[in-house]
Amino acid sequence: ANGCTDSDSMVVTATSPTVSLSGAATFCVGSSTLITANVSGGTPSYSYDWSASTAPGTDNLNGTYTATGSGTVAVTVSV
């Protein structure tokens, strides 16, 4: 070795996901509505937890929830 050295550095930033819900907020009795979690930030793949929802329905396991009755739809997204 001839005594030469070099070094480098960089700033890295971890970001949290941001989520917004979209879909029809009103629908006819006896019908259903599809709610979609739109996620940005963080690093996919995302996991979705709809357990805070009070509206009866189905977690479709793909970032969507099918609401079949009145209530609140809520989701927690994790990376």
Side-chain angles (χ1 to χ4, degrees):
N2 60 9
C4 296
T5 62
D6 189 19
S7 65
D8 194 7
S9 66
M10 63 187 267
V11 176
V12 295
T13 304
T15 60
S16 297
T18 301
V19 63
S20 65
L21 298 178
S22 63
T26 59
F27 57 99
C28 296
V29 172
S31 185
S32 64
T33 186
L34 183 67
I35 307 298
T36 301
N38 305 294
V39 184
S40 62
T43 303
S45 69
Y46 305 113
S47 65
Y48 304 87
D49 180 2
W50 299 91
S51 64
S53 297
T54 62
T58 303
D59 177 354
N60 300 312
L61 304 177
N62 63 356
T64 64
Y65 185 87
T66 302
T68 56
S70 297
T72 300
V73 176
V75 65
T76 299
V77 177
S78 304
V79 291

